[in-house]
Amino acid sequence: MTGLTVVICGGGNGAHTLGGLAPTVEGVDEVYVLSTFPGEAGKFTAAAAEQGGEIHVTRTKEGPNGEDILVKGKPTKITDDPAVVAKADVIVFVVPAFAHKGYLEAIKPHIRKSGSKGPGGRVMLGAMPGEGGFDIQAQHILGSDIYNNISIFALETLPWAVRISQYGRSVDILGTKYGVDIAVTPWNMGRDVTAVMQRLMANENPKLSLVPSLLTITLSNMNQVLHPAITWGQYRSWDFVTPFDKPPMFYEGVDETAGNMLWKVSDEILELKGLLEFKYKLDLTGLRHIKNWLLRSYSDNIGDQSSFHRMINTNKGYQGLVHPMLETGDGKFMPNFGYRYMTEDIPVGLVVTRGIAELAGIKTPNMDTVINFGEKVLNKKFLQDGKVAGPDIGMTRSPQAYGIKTIDEFLEKLRY
Ligand code: NAD
């Protein structure tokens, strides 16, 4: 890896972090931060200039003796001009999923067709996080020859819990995930693309694990299972009028019925996995049932394993988190359904999985119950007559939103 030019798309917590880390990496020549969000590039540039253009990234307590580690990196330029990707070998989206479409459309005319120093002479284009059908959307927008000169990749999540401490200047990594899955299409670029992304994070942590298919990243997104079903569980019998005295606990408030719903939604995804592996010979290694995922991610932190909902209630990693709420002004609270738990994890999560299940002929009554609840609180319609065909599917990344009608067409188009 030598002489790479990297373009980071975004301007928030994650973009500040990668924008500070990537310029310190050997083999990286230039790092551009591209923000097409109105006014952001100018604001970011001005703030960074107060510190000589350097972004300071603090890895909290990650030193050998638990001390903080400070990394200082200076991006070549922060810009709002999508044409900057014309020289990019690596393009990384570090923004919430709803912003991916705008970036894909903006950079499309500028992505170079040849001369990339990326693995295989291809431009690397991906998202962190890139769950919920990032590649389905990218293939649709960039066109059918996307796989000729581009390696598409997606990380299952952002590798860090991270917050900007001073806009444009400093950011704090509060925690680094232990392991993060990544997938790449075409598959034979997987190892090299993974190695570049591992290097760009300027640390051996988190350890990136290559899984065989981008479909695994879409289907194994646990946020799509956890957030909507837990929200359904909390409000399933509520009258949608009476305010709350205090915000209800998010994970600690999961009761047996909600726990069963999480379990059954996860069962439906595993049934889809089984069919895709058996009938279509896909390798979806890395896609786990929620119980196994929870044990793998949090084993030592789980106090009571006597039932599934108690595992969630007693996971130390989940303690203290409450449902997103809005204060009513008189000391009471109403649910905030405009939070990403619903606005992202339904359209760019569960509806995508539901759409794939539909193509594969898998019935999903439990997923449908949660999606129907999401439709109600978001005032959107994704399902119609039992199909992903509602008037609002355009805001989803389901195959149906892109006119894909059969499982064969889906698997062929996405090169799964
Ligand atoms: P963020 O909230 O900091 O991102 C905000 C940025 O998104 C803005 O600065 C802007 O660049 C862009 N943006 C916002 N609205 C836009 C619009 N209408 N059009 C175009 N661009 C727009 O996000 P983040 O914290 O960097 O996280 C990135 C993703 O990773 C999110 O999906 C988040 O849920 C996920 N994530 C974040 C963390 C974390 O600790 N920060 C942890 C896990 C996952």
Side-chain angles (χ1 to χ4, degrees), residues 10-15 35 37 40 94-99 103 129 157-158 160-163 177 340 344:
N13 301 299
S35 173
F37 193 41
E40 188 166 64
V94 199
V95 273
F98 68 81
Y103 277 104
T157 181
L158 197 70
W160 320 280
V162 67
R163 296 287 175 270
K177 302 221 165 56
R340 66 181 165 86
E344 291 225 344

Side-chain angles (χ1 to χ4, degrees), residues 9-17 34-38 40 43-44 93-100 102-103 128-129 131 156-164 167 172 174-175 177 223 340 344-345:
C9 298
N13 301 299
H16 273 66
T17 309
L34 169 64
S35 173
T36 55
F37 193 41
E40 188 166 64
K43 199 174 120 198
F44 198 160
F93 289 9
V94 199
V95 273
F98 68 81
H100 289 171
Y103 277 104
M128 50 196 283
E131 79 285 26
E156 57 161 328
T157 181
L158 197 70
W160 320 280
V162 67
R163 296 287 175 270
I164 292 169
Y167 183 82
D172 295 337
L174 307 170
K177 302 221 165 56
N223 289 342
R340 66 181 165 86
E344 291 225 344
D345 294 328

